[in-house]
Amino acid sequence: SPEIDIQGNSISIASGDTTPALAEGTNFGPVLLAANTTKTFTIKNTGDASLTLSGASLVQVSGANASDFDVSVQPSSPVAAGASTTFTVRFTPSAFGTRLASVSVFNGDSNENPYTFAIQGAGRNAPAALTNEVTSFTAKTATLSGSVNPNSDSTTVSFQYGETTAYGKTVTASQSPLTGASASDVSASCSCVAWGTDMPGKGGPPA
């Protein structure tokens, strides 16, 4: 008889699992709003007979935030004994915060039909940043400053600088990382080998 096993990152996901995990790919992690990320899962048939997947869509997504997830690549059916097929789920968050859904695979395994597991991701806002003019010039140092609004996320803040728009050097702001939903002032001191050879007069925006 057929025997289904679904894996993420080569780790078996128990049918009925309700705890998404980064290790097995069921937790998609944080993704910027309007951006997307994908995870690929493997359906294995460890039994001794062909495994048939069924339904209008072989893999279906349901749940509270199902519209934020879609199956971008469906698996093949049937799956021969000892063989496998894959499917890909895409996460495109439409709102900030945790987004939840469930994957269902209807199949011919007598005791795991449907095979279900929970998935989740987190929508995040891009931080907003402004930079100021470079100040406190000396022969070999300068101060870079600006303001950053993390937009309710944890944000690492750094400045890029150099003598051309290619920059080439990076320094982390002393206030990094930032959290919260309001703008905070940030600054960093940078040093150069010699005035004119690594002039820190073109500070890039905080990143």
Side-chain angles (χ1 to χ4, degrees):
S1 61
E3 182 63 40
I4 187 173
D5 177 42
I6 299 182
Q7 298 183 351
N9 297 330
S10 299
I11 300 172
S12 291
I13 305 165
S15 181
D17 181 73
T18 59
T19 308
L22 291 170
E24 59 196 25
T26 51
N27 186 336
F28 287 66
V31 177
L32 291 177
L33 299 184
N36 67 76
T37 190
T38 60
K39 300 291 184 182
T40 297
F41 301 93
T42 301
I43 300 174
K44 289 189 171 185
N45 179 8
T46 61
D48 56 10
S50 180
L51 173 71
T52 299
L53 309 180
S54 58
S57 297
L58 300 182
V59 177
Q60 301 176 27
V61 178
S62 60
N65 308 122
S67 60
D68 285 9
F69 300 86
D70 70 286
V71 183
S72 57
V73 179
Q74 289 281 351
S76 299
S77 178
V79 184
S84 64
T85 184
T86 62
F87 65 93
T88 300
V89 178
R90 178 170 50 203
F91 172 50
T92 309
S94 62
F96 180 82
T98 301
R99 314 298 288 168
L100 303 170
S102 179
V103 170
S104 297
V105 181
F106 292 87
N107 66 93
D109 185 324
S110 61
N111 64 350
E112 291 180 297
N113 180 35
Y115 197 113
T116 65
F117 58 88
I119 54 176
Q120 78 173 51
R124 58 177 294 190
N125 298 308
L130 295 173
T131 50
N132 301 325
E133 293 292 329
V134 178
T135 59
S136 303
F137 282 111
T138 70
K140 294 185 179 181
T141 64
T143 297
L144 307 178
S145 65
S147 64
V148 174
N149 184 340
N151 280 327
S152 301
D153 211 336
S154 178
T155 301
T156 299
V157 183
S158 62
F159 294 89
Q160 293 182 335
Y161 66 97
E163 62 177 319
T164 71
T165 54
Y167 304 125
K169 291 184 177 293
T170 301
V171 61
T172 300
S174 58
Q175 298 81 5
S176 182
L178 290 177
T179 58
S182 59
S184 298
D185 292 334
V186 293
S187 62
S189 295
C190 61
S191 59
C192 51
V193 175
W195 184 261
T197 61
D198 190 19
M199 178 182 173
K202 297 183 174 66

